[in-house]
Amino acid sequence: MIELLTPAQLDEMRPAGRFVASVLAALSEKAAVGVDLLDLDALAHDMIRDAGAESCYIDYHPSFGAMPFGKVLCTSVNDAVLHGLPHRYKLRDGDLVSLDFAASLNGWVCDSAVSVVVGTPREEDVRLIDNAQEALDAAIAVARPGNRVGDISAAIGAVGRSHGLKINTQFGGHGVGRTMHGDPHIANDGRAGRGLPLKPGLVIAIEPWFLHTTDEIRMDEDGWTIRSADGSRGAHVEHTIAITEGDPIIMTARD
């Protein structure tokens, strides 16, 4: 079911967005050579507890998951791009890591992701992150009344293809509100002018993710972590936004 929120409800959701943004900012600063992925998860867990929030991940068990997720943060490193299950691994110089985090505060959910390079960056990794951010910015720019979900998907796909990237459409954006995942699904490529009309009060998470040289993916042995099929690295960025009568509101803005 798709729910359109009132302006008052959007105001109620803002603290959840600010909280998610603050956690990702702290995690991005903490991520460094020698830091363990489990330490990042523990930091997010502490911040959830201190804020009186609730994790959207720890008991999450969709049909594609092998078991309840069991952690509060997704940490996807190098050739992993989505749903990375935190495990005992110390970050190394040059690692590309995606940090994906969603939480509920006061009954409202926001969801966001950022990709960072730890230590000495590789030029191609920085470029891939920039490509994903460019796609996210382009998608947010068309998230206005009168447009459709297909316009968001088409904007993401156009940016990806302009940089010579192939686009996977199996996992993408989604509705957000009282729960983490809802309708509509927002693929990372599509046809403009198609799909659900965008109306004020619609809240969605837009999440472009790109791989260097493939659009094929495989599931890791942990039953959660999604990796590129050819070992190439991936970047993933995401914001929760609200459609309004004018400019969209970026609920999870980190600046």
Side-chain angles (χ1 to χ4, degrees):
M1 183 180 72
I2 294 173
E3 182 180 9
L4 300 180
L5 304 187
T6 66
Q9 288 175 316
L10 294 179
D11 284 341
E12 292 174 2
M13 183 181 274
R14 286 177 182 269
R18 289 194 294 267
F19 171 66
V20 168
S22 70
V23 171
L24 284 177
L27 292 168
S28 298
E29 184 174 347
K30 176 73 172 178
V33 175
V35 173
D36 199 287
L37 297 181
L38 292 180
D39 292 334
L40 295 177
D41 186 72
L43 172 59
H45 207 139
D46 288 345
M47 294 183 73
I48 289 171
R49 183 192 61 238
D50 293 344
E54 296 181 8
S55 171
C56 293
Y57 290 171
I58 197 161
D59 294 322
Y60 186 54
H61 191 187
S63 59
F64 62 83
M67 66 200 85
F69 190 72
K71 304 295 181 184
V72 301
L73 173 69
C74 292
T75 54
S76 304
V77 181
N78 295 334
D79 64 324
V81 69
L82 295 174
H83 308 156
L85 186 63
H87 58 284
R88 186 65 66 189
Y89 174 83
K90 291 185 177 181
L91 292 169
R92 302 168 183 171
D93 187 50
D95 277 350
L96 193 169
V97 56
S98 164
L99 305 166
D100 189 357
F101 179 74
S104 174
L105 183 65
N106 302 325
W108 295 105
V109 172
C110 282
D111 189 3
S112 188
V114 61
S115 288
V116 298
V117 177
V118 174
T120 308
R122 303 195 313 183
E123 181 179 345
E124 59 267 33
D125 291 342
V126 174
R127 186 166 56 248
L128 190 64
I129 294 171
D130 289 345
N131 294 163
Q133 185 61 52
E134 181 184 347
L136 179 57
D137 293 342
I140 293 172
V142 298
R144 293 174 172 274
N147 289 338
R148 293 176 176 267
V149 164
D151 294 296
I152 294 175
S153 298
I156 294 169
V159 170
R161 286 191 300 277
S162 75
H163 295 292
L165 300 170
K166 298 179 180 180
I167 317 296
N168 180 291
T169 58
Q170 291 171 258
F171 294 93
H174 49 88
V176 183
R178 294 291 187 181
T179 60
M180 178 172 60
H181 286 149
D183 293 329
H185 172 70
I186 303 170
N188 284 330
D189 198 8
R191 295 179 64 182
R194 299 293 184 91
L196 181 80
L198 302 178
K199 296 181 179 181
L202 178 66
V203 181
I204 53 177
I206 303 174
E207 49 180 315
W209 58 275
F210 297 144
L211 299 165
H212 272 306
T213 57
T214 185
D215 59 357
E216 297 294 327
I217 55 177
R218 64 177 178 85
M219 183 73 74
D220 210 350
E221 293 180 358
D222 63 18
W224 275 101
T225 304
I226 293 175
R227 298 183 181 273
S228 66
D230 66 357
S232 63
R233 293 185 172 196
H236 173 210
V237 295
E238 177 182 17
H239 271 313
T240 294
I241 71 159
I243 309 298
T244 73
E245 295 285 356
D247 294 335
I249 300 170
I250 304 176
M251 292 288 188
T252 50
R254 290 183 289 277
D255 48 1

